[in-house]
Amino acid sequence: MSDLLLEVTDAEFRYAKGAPPAAHHITLAVRAGDSLGIVGESGSGKTTIGRGLVGSLHPSAGAVLVQGRPWKSIRRRDPVRRVVQMVFQDPYASLNPMLSAVGTVAEVVRVWDGLAARPAVARAEEILAEVGLTGEVITRRPAGLSGGQRQRVGIARALACGPQVLVADEPTSALDVSVQANVLNLLLDLRESRGLALVLISHDLSVVDYLTERAMVMYRGEVVESGPTGSLLSDPQHPYTRELIDSIPGRSALPPAA
Amino acid sequence: MTTTTLAPTPAPRRHWLRLPHWRFAGRHPNGALALGLGLLGLIVLLTIVVPMLSPHSATDIAGTPLSPPSLAHPFGTDTVGRDVFVRTWLGGRNDLLMVILVVLASSTIGTLVGVVAAMGSPLTDSVLMRLTDAIISFPGMIIVMAIALVFSDMGEVGPFPRGALPAVIAIVVINWASYTRLVRGEALSMRSRDFVTAATLLGYSKSRIVTRHLLPNLATTVVAYMVVDAIVAVVTIAGMPFIGAGIQPPAPEWGSLMLAGTTVLYTAWWVTVMPGLVVTVYGIALSLIADSLLAQVDGGAR
């Protein structure tokens, strides 16, 4: 079987029929263990692509395939649904305020692995420990957790159904600077320990540089440049990419070769 | 290098006028909740205990007609000499039973329809909401009178005196729609929140999303509205005797007690004012509870 997990072919995404496309001519592929950064300013269409990758927005043209199958053909309890999961930008809004951390994760285990309540809780505790949450803190509801802890619960929930691709939409932008590094390092560790493919959506090039090997730059709904993250940063070809690099404090792109 | 030491922040001084009970009832939402629950508990207790322990029944001629409040008759007597104190609390029991039934039935039907409208197809939503709009826009009292008349032959049912159940059915028929509006709006806004998106991406069924994710988060809002609705319901029930509907005499009810006293209001104020005061305290108690619950809803949103 091919190790191609996600494939987007010349896709176009619109939020309503007749509305202008939020992203178009999008082509990308994610293989097992890949790490891809999607970078761009607000409104550039990067979150739209993220929604398309996890199947919450269907393309109006082109195709988004998960293990060779279009999202539309994947039913609610189809095992292929486990392949791609999402980590959200706002860790508070992404958690059910009425469920504890362990309850949130145990629910996924119960639904997908069919475990009874007690074994599901035990499994949830293991997954939460994997993201660094143990002890009394896992019995708290989101209101009793810090931003970083909430994001860890969000990551644990995504991990609970055993995904192969994690789509992280600005996973650190709502967090304190001091907590951002912890969450980024956690994602890095999980990539290595679980062999996860990671699609990181961010407006911050330095975060994309830290976590991904390949990156694509979005501008007004289009991919303007893509390639290995290192060469994209050291030798940007598109003026917008250069602008993005210049916006990183203490770093600026070299002027284009004459 | 110089080291700056911050002086410790002095503890705020308590003003001698800030008495504990002010903070209890006015400033702390849980204090207001406790006061509200205490008053409501007292009313409920009296509606149970007074009719059981009183030497007079609600229909006995207990003294001289229109006797003013006294130790023997704390709320005085009415135009035929019945004890207003016993009638007020027995009437309260009838009213509260009706209120409980009205609020539970309305909230259950309204919440169910609201959630189905929010989570169903656009066609389902459209049909249900037009029906809701029709109910809300139709003059409520006309429906209440019509339904009360249709069921006017229904006698006493269980603890409900004659006329009580038709009144309950009539109010529920018009009342559920306001819950539907509230719940549909809340459910629609919640449906677009990330935790519901996450549940959808995780392949949870619609019924799981509704029961585990939407309803628990809607509960505080619905319960707060139920408390407010319990005030409106008692006013509606108490208003029904004025249009010939509701609990039929001689069974007492707050509205009919007050109505009976209007003809002698200037000479025997207690017949109207005493049950009216109890209704007022009931309203204040529920307002305090509702305010506290709504403060919690707002706090949760923040």
Side-chain angles (χ1 to χ4, degrees):
Chain A
M1 199 175 104
S2 158
D3 64 347
L4 193 59
L5 298 172
L6 262 177
E7 190 181 10
V8 182
T9 317
D10 198 20
E12 177 193 84
F13 298 97
R14 294 170 195 265
Y15 282 96
K17 234 179 190 174
H24 52 107
H25 301 308
I26 307 298
T27 297
L28 63 89
V30 180
R31 292 186 157 73
D34 267 1
S35 58
L36 171 70
I38 302 176
V39 70
E41 63 191 3
S42 296
S44 62
K46 53 190 195 304
T47 294
T48 301
I49 297 179
R51 290 189 58 189
L53 290 178
V54 297
S56 75
L57 182 66
H58 295 300
S60 47
V64 179
L65 306 177
V66 190
Q67 290 188 329
R69 289 174 54 193
W71 265 117
K72 271 194 173 167
S73 75
I74 298 167
R75 313 296 297 175
R76 189 169 55 76
R77 297 299 304 279
D78 193 316
V80 175
R81 188 172 279 280
R82 303 174 82 138
V83 173
V84 188
Q85 278 303 317
M86 189 164 196
V87 176
F88 293 84
Q89 178 175 9
D90 181 348
Y92 189 71
S94 73
L95 298 177
N96 181 344
M98 303 302 282
L99 281 182
S100 67
V102 71
T104 298
V105 181
E107 188 180 24
V108 187
V109 179
R110 289 193 73 171
V111 168
W112 279 103
D113 297 339
L115 295 182
R118 274 174 186 276
V121 167
R123 177 76 191 112
E125 285 172 356
E126 286 169 22
I127 298 166
L128 284 163
E130 196 180 341
V131 299
L133 292 177
T134 51
E136 173 273 334
V137 77
I138 66 170
T139 60
R140 295 186 202 160
R141 288 179 182 180
L145 299 171
S146 68
Q149 287 168 334
R150 287 174 199 160
Q151 195 58 293
R152 282 169 193 270
V153 177
I155 294 170
R157 176 182 58 192
L159 294 178
C161 67
Q164 296 175 57
V165 184
L166 215 52
V167 177
D169 184 5
E170 302 268 16
T172 56
S173 64
L175 303 178
D176 290 345
V177 178
S178 58
V179 183
Q180 286 181 4
N182 293 334
V183 172
L184 293 178
N185 285 330
L186 172 65
L187 288 172
L188 205 58
D189 292 344
L190 290 170
R191 258 198 71 202
E192 285 166 12
S193 62
R194 285 185 168 240
L196 278 174
L198 176 70
V199 178
L200 179 73
I201 296 164
S202 179
H203 64 276
D204 188 341
L205 258 182
S206 52
V207 168
V208 171
D209 183 29
Y210 185 65
L211 277 183
T212 65
E213 287 148 9
R214 287 188 302 127
M216 47 194 261
V217 180
M218 297 285 304
Y219 182 63
R220 293 188 174 180
E222 273 186 291
V223 180
V224 293
E225 192 167 356
S226 65
T229 312
S231 58
L232 208 91
L233 284 168
S234 60
D235 185 21
Q237 299 300 307
H238 195 274
Y240 178 66
T241 314
R242 277 196 290 275
E243 258 183 53
L244 277 180
I245 294 168
D246 287 342
S247 69
I248 305 174
R251 184 166 189 172
S252 68
L254 293 170
Chain B
M1 198 176 90
T2 54
T3 309
T4 311
T5 312
L6 292 173
T9 312
R13 284 185 61 189
R14 270 177 73 97
H15 195 277
W16 66 274
L17 261 178
R18 188 174 286 178
L19 300 172
H21 73 275
W22 285 31
R23 281 158 49 88
F24 174 77
R27 297 182 66 87
H28 198 280
N30 288 336
L33 182 65
L35 182 63
L37 287 172
L39 287 174
L40 184 64
L42 184 67
I43 290 172
V44 171
L45 186 73
L46 288 171
T47 62
I48 296 167
V49 170
V50 170
M52 278 165 56
L53 299 184
S54 171
H56 318 290
S57 88
T59 47
D60 281 353
I61 308 295
T64 317
L66 300 178
S67 303
S70 61
L71 275 179
H73 306 292
F75 286 5
T77 59
D78 66 6
T79 47
V80 288
R82 293 173 299 194
D83 186 275
V84 177
F85 189 68
V86 183
R87 287 181 65 76
T88 296
W89 295 113
L90 186 64
R93 184 195 291 180
N94 292 333
D95 274 309
L96 293 187
L97 282 173
M98 287 169 74
V99 165
I100 290 168
L101 209 57
V102 162
V103 170
L104 283 180
S106 304
S107 60
T108 307
I109 297 168
T111 303
L112 199 69
V113 178
V115 168
V116 170
M119 297 297 286
S121 67
L123 179 68
T124 312
D125 182 32
S126 194
V127 169
L128 290 175
M129 292 324 291
R130 293 302 75 77
L131 175 69
T132 307
D133 289 343
I135 296 277
I136 287 175
S137 55
F138 205 82
M141 270 301 167
I142 292 177
I143 300 182
V144 168
M145 281 170 70
I147 294 173
L149 276 175
V150 168
F151 291 98
S152 57
D153 290 342
M154 195 186 277
E156 204 175 304
V157 180
F160 296 98
R162 198 165 79 84
L165 276 188
V168 168
I169 294 168
I171 297 170
V172 171
V173 164
I174 56 166
N175 202 35
W176 64 268
S178 51
Y179 284 90
T180 296
R181 272 255 161 251
L182 173 79
V183 168
R184 176 185 172 267
E186 288 283 316
L188 279 179
S189 89
M190 212 169 272
R191 202 177 70 164
S192 61
R193 284 178 65 183
D194 283 348
F195 74 86
V196 179
T197 308
T200 311
L201 295 181
L202 284 160
Y204 294 172
S205 62
K206 262 190 185 173
S207 61
R208 177 176 281 272
I209 292 174
V210 168
T211 53
R212 295 266 302 170
H213 296 268
L214 285 183
L215 287 180
N217 285 291
L218 290 170
T220 319
T221 308
V222 173
V223 170
Y225 189 73
M226 284 168 78
V227 177
V228 176
D229 194 34
I231 305 171
V232 179
V234 94
V235 172
T236 310
I237 291 166
M240 293 183 88
F242 290 80
I243 56 168
I247 291 178
Q248 298 302 306
E253 183 272 322
W254 282 340
S256 58
L257 288 178
M258 287 188 277
L259 177 64
T262 50
T263 51
V264 288
L265 187 61
Y266 293 108
T267 49
W269 53 267
W270 52 88
V271 182
T272 299
V273 170
M274 290 312 217
L277 277 177
V278 174
V279 176
T280 306
V281 174
Y282 165 84
I284 290 170
L286 288 184
S287 292
L288 289 169
I289 297 169
D291 277 354
S292 311
L293 291 174
L294 287 171
Q296 284 188 22
V297 175
D298 290 345
R302 276 195 293 273

